[in-house]
Amino acid sequence: MTMIDPRDRLIVALDLPSVTAAEAMVARLGDAVSFYKIGMELTYGGGLGLARELIASGKKVFLDLKLHDIPNTVAKATEQVAGLGAAFLTIHAYPQTMKAARGALGGSPMKLLAVTVMTSYDDADLAEAGFAFGVREMVARRARQAQTAGVHGLILSAEEAAEMRALVGPDMLLVTPGIRMADGVLGDQKRVMTPARAIAAGADHLVVGRPVTQAADPVAAARAIVAEIAGAA
Ligand code: C5P
């Protein structure tokens, strides 16, 4: 596994209703957290300004925008996000999309993460959408296509991490949500893993939202996760 500072392995998902609430959470977390994920909801609510502020203050930012469009549009959008200084950007794992995004990176250190199949999809959903493969085969196929396209990593559930690590080898980044402490509240997550188990399964970064942002003491929650990661890495 690549050497990554345990604190940088924790990515806190800023799934909060407004930029103001997100800024307050970031201020509260202070040095306990170095890496934040900003998704579509916050982005469309003014979150790109927050992304700029976070990057200017030395934090790393994962923009979870799940790009997918014609190659020219994907390439131009990727250039814009790279220009912001984001560390990670998600794209859908369609070969055209992945090639366009990869080609647009130029010398940017931004890393692309491919979303293979959304975890809300099962085999019947893929069939309904017109695909010939079930989820397992599609995930494996798209993971290999991502690797061929030079995409840096994959976003996937912690449960898939061990199998995916075996499939793609040591160099692709595996970034996993669905993390809960052993005594944690599940919320709407059904298949979860503890930080230590996710790291042991081959995850490089863990995306954690509510277990930090809804904790009575978010700083203590973040520190506990980093300590568990450090113990497992
Ligand atoms: O609050 P919680 O830790 O469940 O948040 C997990 C984060 O990871 C959220 O931003 C959620 O959208 C994201 N995510 C997920 N499951 C996926 C893909 C993304 O929970 N399959």
Side-chain angles (χ1 to χ4, degrees):
M1 200 190 291
T2 32
M3 289 303 296
I4 306 169
D5 182 325
R7 202 176 53 138
D8 289 342
R9 289 185 187 273
L10 169 64
I11 303 177
V12 171
L14 285 173
D15 298 326
L16 293 157
S18 66
V19 170
T20 310
E23 282 172 340
M25 180 54 61
V26 169
R28 194 164 172 194
L29 286 167
D31 286 343
V33 173
S34 58
F35 212 148
Y36 288 100
K37 178 170 91 79
I38 295 180
M40 279 190 214
E41 182 185 358
L42 196 57
T43 297
Y44 295 140
L48 286 183
L50 174 62
R52 278 194 198 90
E53 280 171 30
L54 288 172
I55 293 162
S57 74
K59 302 294 184 193
K60 295 182 170 58
V61 171
F62 167 7
L63 279 175
D64 188 11
L65 301 180
K66 297 190 177 69
L67 300 188
H68 181 47
D69 208 310
I70 58 168
N72 181 60
T73 305
V74 168
K76 299 293 181 203
T78 302
E79 276 174 23
Q80 295 280 9
V81 179
L84 271 178
F88 291 174
L89 167 68
T90 43
I91 54 177
H92 281 283
Y94 286 77
Q96 277 193 0
T97 295
M98 295 192 289
K99 280 180 212 151
R102 187 68 184 86
L105 279 183
S108 163
M110 183 171 78
K111 296 204 160 54
L112 298 168
L113 304 177
V115 179
T116 53
V117 175
M118 309 279 278
T119 48
S120 57
Y121 273 60
D122 62 17
D123 289 351
D125 294 310
L126 284 180
E128 189 186 6
F131 292 104
F133 302 111
V135 171
R136 250 180 100 89
E137 207 178 338
M138 190 72 124
V139 167
R141 187 184 171 87
R142 288 183 165 176
R144 283 191 295 266
Q145 288 172 331
Q147 201 163 28
T148 305
V151 161
H152 307 88
L154 302 168
I155 184 134
L156 73 176
S157 86
E159 285 199 338
E160 296 163 336
E163 199 179 331
M164 196 54 74
R165 182 55 80 203
L167 185 77
V168 300
D171 295 332
M172 278 189 108
L173 288 173
L174 300 185
V175 179
T176 60
I179 302 296
R180 291 295 180 268
M181 298 306 272
D183 57 358
V185 179
L186 293 188
D188 55 3
Q189 296 281 14
K190 292 187 182 124
R191 294 172 298 138
V192 300
M193 251 192 209
T194 61
R197 283 192 53 220
I199 294 289
D204 296 291
H205 296 271
L206 313 182
V207 175
V208 185
R210 290 161 291 179
V212 171
T213 59
Q214 309 290 310
D217 184 345
V219 171
R223 291 217 165 107
I225 294 169
V226 173
E228 198 177 310
I229 290 172

